[in-house]
């Protein structure tokens, strides 16, 4: 199993949800996050954090986390790139991590059956 973490533009969330549902994975975790990458974010002004004045260069993004079977990882990545890539900086990133096991709390099912 693999965990796919996608940091995407907020307006692209419905596209990602459609892709995950199409691949027959119903479970996902969605979070609103702030961050910056190569685009360096937008200048939000000078703020004070723990007594230090700092400039925050962060843009709103959505983090989508889904655990999938190994054989579906490349299909999902390909579909996400096809539907979300605008060709401009800030389209996002995809990270893939190995998952050792999963347990469905309600039934005790493990591994792929728990997905």
């Amino acid at each position: 199993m693999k965990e796919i973490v996608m940091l995407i533009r907020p307006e692209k969330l419905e596209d990602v949800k459609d892709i995950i549902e199409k691949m027959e994975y119903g479970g996902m975790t969605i979070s609103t996050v702030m961050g910056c990458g190569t685009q360096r974010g937008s200048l939000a002004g000078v703020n004070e954090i723990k007594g230090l004045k700092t400039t925050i260069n962060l843009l709103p993004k959505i983090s989508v986390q889904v655990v999938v079977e190994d054989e579906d990882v490349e299909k999902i990545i390909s579909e996400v790139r096809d539907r979300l890539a605008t060709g401009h900086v800030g389209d996002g990133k995809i990270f893939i991590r190995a998952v050792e096991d999963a347990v469905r709390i309600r039934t005790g099912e493990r591994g792929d059956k728990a997905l």
Side-chain angles (χ1 to χ4, degrees):
M1 292 178 292
K2 299 282 192 266
E3 178 187 28
I4 302 174
V5 178
M6 295 169 268
L7 301 174
I8 62 169
R9 296 176 185 267
E11 65 270 18
K12 299 294 188 172
L13 177 58
E14 291 304 316
D15 289 328
V16 171
K17 286 170 52 181
D18 289 345
I19 293 165
I20 299 304
E21 289 172 16
K22 177 179 151 188
M23 296 294 297
E24 299 182 2
Y25 289 101
M28 66 186 84
T29 302
I30 312 291
S31 303
T32 303
V33 296
M34 300 287 289
C36 67
T38 56
Q39 84 274 21
R40 301 288 182 222
S42 63
L43 189 60
V46 176
N47 293 310
E48 193 167 315
I49 299 174
K50 294 187 178 185
L52 298 171
K53 291 189 183 217
T54 181
T55 303
I56 307 285
N57 297 10
L58 303 175
L59 292 172
K61 297 288 181 185
I62 299 291
S63 175
V64 180
Q65 297 169 261
V66 61
V67 177
V68 302
E69 295 176 21
D70 291 347
E71 61 267 14
D72 291 331
V73 171
E74 290 305 320
K75 290 183 254 182
I76 291 170
I77 290 170
S78 177
E79 186 75 21
V80 166
R81 288 211 58 244
D82 287 347
R83 292 197 39 195
L84 272 63
T86 66
H88 296 93
V89 172
D91 281 345
K93 295 270 190 307
I94 300 172
F95 301 98
I96 299 99
R97 300 183 238 198
V99 174
E100 288 186 36
D101 201 0
V103 179
R104 185 183 311 270
I105 294 172
R106 178 176 49 87
T107 63
E109 293 169 297
R110 295 187 79 135
D112 292 343
K113 291 179 183 177
L115 300 180

